[in-house]
């Protein structure tokens, strides 16, 4: 189960963080909304906040170099504090340049924990870990509206003995705990039993309970970080509590580290890595596994070359028995049994025979090539998966991961507007990237600036539509299934999308030229081959990345 947080724990953690980081130089912030983590990249340390309600805690790590996807916020910590009786931590920052004060708000409220970065006296939101569109509107550009202040009594540490007695003595025993927590500031399910002390007589319990509360609420208790040993597990807390076993630790940050170690066996390791880079590695592993699955399916679908070759032999041996212009013929086989053979009616009988020989040759090559590709793909997945395990454990460097990532597998960095690219990104079932132009004025840019000479260029024949680029950097042609899926996207993103069958021309991008003075998107492809595909918008949508 996750940690329990109350306003006292937040306040004392803020004090400890101010003592540790006041005046420290902050270089940047790494926000990862997918994992709900925020890493504060100081010059001499990294403070990692996990901000998921069931797994939320701050932990201290060695310093990490800011990445290009991180938020560059060069500044100095002015102070760290928490509003009275709130589960809200505020870090004030003085920018290295500029005069507008920045603030970091760490919200530990309910099940919607968050981190918000604001700027200026009006506290305009500049960055937010998880966007919220509710009444408070936590999104970039909005004015930060803090949570409603605590309505409980005694938030400033002032609660008379008479009022304390009135609340505790005038409440039925079954409702006492709930009433105390809902009425008196700084109380929580963590400390309520220590404040009420059922093991003491009533008068002494009232007196000692209020005295302990007064010292905690006013902050007069010296720090004594403790790991409370509750039935539900260990719990970091600023002080030991009467009647609750516990063990001392040097600091609250140490307590959170011990809790993390006992919970999962290791400290979280993503603090030293950009979340976008870890996501790219996860995505590369997933795409690699999909590629293995696709190759295995492709191998299973390869025709038997011996059977195809035998059909070609039979056609040549029985040419006189094969009429022209027919789509099927039944011939007597060499063993005397009838054999039904599918034919291309537009080709002569001997051309059909050679077509079967060609298919047999392709099938033989596929049966040799695809198993080797499967072994290579499986090995690549194993290596990437092992690297991913090391990255999650904090044992892999960012540079090592970037070097291991396949080309074009990196996710767009934070702040990159995907819509600014002249193409949409799709992914074939074999894991190849497919780029689809966003319109006529972007087609030229995609074809001549965002593709390599040996990439595959596709376009629906005789129909206005998007240029499509299938990324392909290896010798030979891409797998038939990947090519067919790229052709499908070319058909769906053309004016011929409502046709039953669409011819799609394809060639190497280096064989596409732009005539001088031609209209946007108008090109002349050479050495063209043609695929016929049936437009299927649902299938095309399934290839869309993300």
């Amino acid at each position: 189960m996750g940690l329990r947080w109350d306003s006292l724990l937040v306040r004392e953690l803020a004090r400890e963080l101010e003592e540790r980081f006041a005046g420290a130089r902050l270089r940047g912030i790494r926000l990862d909304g997918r994992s709900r983590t925020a890493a504060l990249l100081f010059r001499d340390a990294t403070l990692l906040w996990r901000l998921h309600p069931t797994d939320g805690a701050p932990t201290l790590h060695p310093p990490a170099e800011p990445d290009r996807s991180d938020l560059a916020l060069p500044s100095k910590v002015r102070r760290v504090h928490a509003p009275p009786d709130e589960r809200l931590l505020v870090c004030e920052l003085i920018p290295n340049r500029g005069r507008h004060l920045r603030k970091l708000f760490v919200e530990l409220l309910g099940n919607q924990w968050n981190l918000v970065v604001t700027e200026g006296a009006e506290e305009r939101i500049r960055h937010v870990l998880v966007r919220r569109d509710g009444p408070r509107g936590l999104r970039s550009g909005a004015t930060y509206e803090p949570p409603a202040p605590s309505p409980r009594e005694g938030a400033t540490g002032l609660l008379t003995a008479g009022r304390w007695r009135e609340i505790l003595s005038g409440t039925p025993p079954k409702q006492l705990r709930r009433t105390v927590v809902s009425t008196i500031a700084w109380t929580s399910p963590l400390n309520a039993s220590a404040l009420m002390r059922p093991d003491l007589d009533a008068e002494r319990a009232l007196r000692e309970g209020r005295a302990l509360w007064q010292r905690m609420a006013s902050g007069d208790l010296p720090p004594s970080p403790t790991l409370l040993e509750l039935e539900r597990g260990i719990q970091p807390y600023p002080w030991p509590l009467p009647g609750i076993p516990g063990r001392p630790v040097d600091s609250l940050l140490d307590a959170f580290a011990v809790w993390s170690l006992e919970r999962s066996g290791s400290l979280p390791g993503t603090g030293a890595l950009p979340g976008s880079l870890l996501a790219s590695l996860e995505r590369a592993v997933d795409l690699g596994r999909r590629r293995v699955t696709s190759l295995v399916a492709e191998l299973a679908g390869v025709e038997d070359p011996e059977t195809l070759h035998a059909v070609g032999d039979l056609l040549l041996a029985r040419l006189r028995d094969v009429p022209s212009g027919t789509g099927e013929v039944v011939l007597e086989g060499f063993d005397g049994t009838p054999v039904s053979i599918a034919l291309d009616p537009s080709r002569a009988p001997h051309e059909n025979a050679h077509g079967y020989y060609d298919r047999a040759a392709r099938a033989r090559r596929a049966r040799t090539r695809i198993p080797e590709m499967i072994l290579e793909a499986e090995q690549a997945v194993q290596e990437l998966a092992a690297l991913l395990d090391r990255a999650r454990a904090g044992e892999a460097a960012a540079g090592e991961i970037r070097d291991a990532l396949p080309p074009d597998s990196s996710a767009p960095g934070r702040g990159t507007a995907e819509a600014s690219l002249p193409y949409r990104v799709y992914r074939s079932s074999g894991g190849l990237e497919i780029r689809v132009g966003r319109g006529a004025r972007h087609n030229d840019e995609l074809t001549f600036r965002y593709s390599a000479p040996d990439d595959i260029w596709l376009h629906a024949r005789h129909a206005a539509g998007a240029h499509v680029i299938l990324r392909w950097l290896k010798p030979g042609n891409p797998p038939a299934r990947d090519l067919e899926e790229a052709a499908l996207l070319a058909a769906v993103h053309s004016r011929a999308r409502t046709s039953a069958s669409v011819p799609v021309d394809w060639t190497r991008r280096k064989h596409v030229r732009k005539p001088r003075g031609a209209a946007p998107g108008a090109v002349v492809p050479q050495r063209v081959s043609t695929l016929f595909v049936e437009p299927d918008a649902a299938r095309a949508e399934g290839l869309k990345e993300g």
Side-chain angles (χ1 to χ4, degrees):
M1 300 181 69
L3 289 176
R4 285 182 175 174
W5 286 78
D6 64 12
S7 51
L8 285 173
L9 180 57
V10 174
R11 186 192 71 190
E12 295 305 311
L13 175 62
R15 288 183 178 181
E16 184 174 305
L17 292 177
E18 178 165 27
E19 183 177 349
R20 171 65 176 80
F21 289 106
R25 297 287 180 177
L26 180 67
R27 303 173 70 186
I29 300 180
R30 183 170 295 161
L31 299 180
D32 185 2
R34 295 174 65 253
S35 62
R36 296 201 184 182
T37 58
L40 277 60
L41 308 177
F42 292 96
R43 181 169 295 175
D44 64 344
T46 297
L47 180 63
L48 176 67
W49 269 98
R50 287 168 296 158
L51 288 166
H52 194 287
T54 62
D55 186 28
T59 47
L60 205 57
H61 298 259
E65 284 297 314
D67 184 78
R68 59 177 176 268
S69 62
D70 297 332
L71 304 176
L73 293 177
S75 51
K76 182 172 68 173
V77 176
R78 178 185 181 189
R79 64 184 291 236
V80 183
H81 63 96
D85 196 33
E86 297 288 348
R87 288 191 295 172
L88 176 67
L89 189 145
V90 185
C91 178
E92 298 179 4
L93 302 171
I94 302 174
N96 291 357
R97 296 181 179 179
R99 294 179 295 178
H100 297 297
L101 183 70
R102 296 188 181 116
K103 291 184 181 180
L104 306 181
F105 294 89
V106 179
E107 299 186 353
L108 304 169
L109 309 168
N111 64 350
Q112 295 191 347
W113 292 16
N114 220 330
L115 182 142
V116 181
V117 182
T118 69
E119 188 173 76
E122 71 281 8
E123 294 184 352
R124 186 79 59 187
I125 296 176
R126 295 305 180 199
H127 309 282
V128 61
L129 179 63
V130 180
R131 172 177 171 146
R132 304 290 186 191
D133 291 322
R136 291 175 57 222
L138 297 180
R139 58 184 179 274
S140 297
T143 300
Y144 179 71
E145 182 179 335
S150 170
R152 300 191 297 180
E153 298 180 44
T156 59
L158 299 176
L159 193 67
T160 65
R163 180 56 179 153
W164 180 271
R165 182 181 299 273
E166 178 185 352
I167 295 172
L168 270 68
S169 300
T171 303
K174 291 185 178 180
Q175 301 176 14
L176 183 58
R177 187 184 184 93
R178 179 178 297 178
T179 300
V180 166
V181 171
S182 63
T183 305
I184 301 177
W186 307 108
T187 62
S188 72
L190 287 172
N191 60 32
S193 60
L195 296 173
M196 294 185 291
R197 298 296 302 276
D199 57 318
L200 303 178
D201 64 78
E203 188 61 31
R204 184 180 173 187
L206 284 171
R207 186 174 62 255
E208 294 191 6
R210 180 178 178 274
L212 176 60
W213 175 86
Q214 192 78 32
R215 295 181 68 193
M216 292 193 300
S218 61
D220 289 341
L221 275 177
S224 182
T226 301
L227 277 168
L228 302 177
E229 296 177 347
L230 309 176
E231 291 183 3
R232 65 200 303 271
I234 58 174
Q235 166 72 46
Y237 209 64
W239 315 278
L241 294 176
I244 301 177
R247 60 184 191 264
V249 288
D250 291 337
S251 67
L252 284 174
L253 286 175
D254 286 343
F256 290 122
V258 173
W259 177 81
S260 297
L261 285 168
E262 294 197 7
R263 176 182 173 85
S264 60
S266 64
L267 287 177
T270 58
L273 289 175
S276 59
L277 189 60
L278 193 67
S280 295
L281 183 54
E282 291 171 342
R283 180 168 159 271
V285 171
D286 178 63
L287 289 174
R289 288 172 176 155
R290 286 169 55 188
R291 175 166 172 75
V292 171
T293 301
S294 175
L295 288 171
V296 170
E298 185 177 350
L299 180 61
V302 174
E303 298 174 287
D304 178 22
E306 302 308 321
T307 299
L308 293 171
H309 199 280
V311 172
D313 289 343
L314 184 59
L315 282 172
L316 287 181
R318 305 277 193 268
L319 279 178
R320 294 181 180 180
D321 299 329
V322 182
S324 298
T326 184
E328 185 179 11
V329 68
V330 178
L331 300 176
E332 181 182 349
F334 296 122
D335 60 356
T337 59
V339 179
S340 178
I341 302 174
L343 301 173
D344 183 348
S346 66
R347 305 176 72 181
H350 71 281
E351 292 176 328
N352 272 289
H354 288 296
Y356 273 95
Y357 289 144
D358 290 341
R359 286 168 60 185
R362 288 197 298 271
R364 288 193 186 94
R365 289 195 297 270
R367 288 196 170 188
T368 300
R369 176 177 56 89
I370 296 177
E372 295 175 352
M373 296 173 65
I374 291 174
L375 289 175
E376 292 177 0
E378 288 176 337
Q379 182 178 357
V381 168
Q382 290 173 2
E383 292 174 354
L384 288 172
L387 181 59
L388 178 59
D389 290 339
R390 291 174 50 224
R392 286 171 172 164
E395 300 171 357
E400 180 185 5
I401 295 174
R402 287 197 181 90
D403 291 342
L405 285 174
D408 300 313
S409 65
S410 297
R414 183 176 297 277
T416 300
E418 183 183 351
S420 65
L421 294 173
Y423 57 86
R424 300 176 180 89
V425 178
Y426 293 77
R427 190 70 57 172
S428 73
S429 58
L432 300 183
E433 182 179 334
I434 305 173
R435 298 175 176 178
V436 178
R438 292 182 178 273
R441 68 186 183 90
H442 291 304
N443 279 337
D444 289 341
E445 194 175 2
L446 167 61
T447 296
F448 299 108
R449 288 189 57 195
Y450 288 87
S451 63
D454 285 331
D455 285 344
I456 305 300
W457 178 92
L458 305 95
H459 190 273
R461 181 190 290 180
H462 305 316
H467 290 193
V468 173
I469 295 293
L470 174 64
R471 301 305 310 280
W472 183 249
L473 305 177
K474 299 180 181 180
N477 291 333
R481 182 175 302 175
D482 303 79
L483 186 61
E484 188 268 337
E485 289 171 344
L488 167 71
L489 290 170
V492 169
H493 290 87
S494 75
R495 290 187 180 176
R497 66 179 66 90
T498 58
S499 303
S501 180
V502 178
V504 176
D505 292 336
W506 68 273
T507 186
R508 299 282 180 177
R509 202 278 296 159
K510 61 187 176 184
H511 300 314
V512 179
R513 63 182 180 87
K514 176 79 174 178
R516 182 177 298 177
V523 296
V524 177
Q526 298 173 328
R527 304 188 188 183
V528 169
S529 299
T530 305
L531 285 173
F532 287 83
V533 295
E534 179 181 348
D536 186 337
R539 186 181 170 199
E541 184 65 22
L543 299 173
K544 194 167 187 179
E545 189 161 282

